[in-house]
Amino acid sequence: MAGEQQHHTHETVAPQAGHEQQTCPACGRRVDTVVRRRKSLGIFVPVWGRGPCRNPDCRDYSDPEER
């Protein structure tokens, strides 16, 4: 409908060049750096952040099969 905002999760694994390596706060292992985007003044701005943890022994584990 007109005027309704749609929220989509866009997430891309980013190359590591120029960005510090991200780590999981729970287990300390390295995680992927992902790029999300947010809208600011009518344009999409990239936001670099920590991706999900893939360590099955970690409490913050995110199973890639559940997507």
Side-chain angles (χ1 to χ4, degrees):
M1 297 223 144
E4 287 185 24
Q5 291 185 0
Q6 296 180 357
H7 297 283
H8 298 284
T9 303
H10 296 283
E11 194 173 274
T12 305
V13 175
Q16 301 301 318
H19 296 279
E20 62 186 61
Q21 181 67 45
Q22 301 287 325
T23 58
C24 175
C27 68
R29 286 197 177 181
R30 290 183 176 187
V31 294
D32 290 332
T33 300
V34 295
V35 179
R36 294 178 178 94
R37 61 184 191 159
R38 65 179 177 87
K39 201 166 191 180
S40 177
L41 299 174
I43 62 169
F44 287 103
V45 179
V47 178
W48 300 84
R50 179 177 50 85
C53 185
R54 301 292 184 209
N55 178 9
D57 297 328
C58 180
R59 67 169 189 236
D60 292 342
Y61 173 67
S62 176
D63 187 10
E65 299 293 323
E66 291 181 5
R67 285 188 161 203

